[in-house]
Amino acid sequence: MPGARPLPMNISLDDQIGDAEVIALYRANAWSSADKPAQLMAALRNSHSLVTARENGVLVGIGNAISDGHLVVYYPHFLVDPAHQRKGIGRLMMQALSARYAGFHQQMLTADGDAIAFYESLGFTRAGRTAPMWIYAGSEH
């Protein structure tokens, strides 16, 4: 609508992302994937779904989903700028992704540290007696 003012907070499943803004968000969260920008951007852009949060047009949150499109979805990356955390942005982003995959048999993610309580508040539970496992060259995200 011409002349309309942008909403202060916009959660989108159809956003276009720029390399610099994404790398800045990953660096703000100290995620090592920021050191592999070409791979990171390719991974995000080729995800099954991508959710973004923008405040007055500025990217303040991003998350992605990898899925078979029918039964299982995995949420590997989910970040909110540290200066914008604890404002409900992450909750809105996860609600948007969860709504898209509501009929799926399994929605899964790996959470650590302080993120565990956040995901539990959204209805995620520990996966029985399973243990997260990986082959990973880093010590953090």
Side-chain angles (χ1 to χ4, degrees):
M1 172 180 242
R5 294 177 55 192
L7 295 174
M9 181 59 59
N10 182 42
I11 306 298
S12 176
L13 293 170
D14 299 308
D15 198 4
Q16 298 296 315
I17 52 173
D19 294 14
E21 66 181 351
V22 171
I23 301 307
L25 182 57
Y26 275 72
R27 289 204 191 287
N29 280 279
W31 277 39
S32 62
S33 37
D35 297 333
K36 298 180 179 188
Q39 295 94 324
L40 172 61
M41 296 308 297
L44 292 174
R45 289 184 174 128
N46 287 291
S47 296
H48 195 261
S49 293
L50 187 69
V51 64
T52 58
R54 290 186 182 274
E55 185 173 60
N56 296 314
V58 176
L59 185 70
V60 297
I62 195 165
N64 71 326
I66 298 171
S67 178
D68 59 19
H70 301 280
L71 286 173
V72 178
V73 61
Y74 176 69
Y75 306 116
H77 288 199
F78 203 79
L79 301 86
V80 173
D81 186 294
H84 291 82
Q85 291 176 3
R86 303 201 180 279
K87 296 180 180 179
I89 297 168
R91 180 173 299 279
L92 291 172
M93 290 170 47
M94 186 53 77
Q95 286 172 343
L97 284 175
S98 291
R100 176 165 277 182
Y101 298 103
F104 278 49
H105 180 66
Q106 188 175 70
Q107 296 184 45
M108 52 193 308
L109 55 80
T110 300
D112 60 31
D114 294 335
I116 293 171
F118 168 71
Y119 290 113
E120 287 176 338
S121 76
L122 294 173
F124 286 87
T125 59
R126 293 185 186 260
R129 295 178 23 190
T130 63
M133 301 175 80
W134 59 15
I135 296 173
Y136 179 57
S139 61
E140 73 317 307
H141 304 93

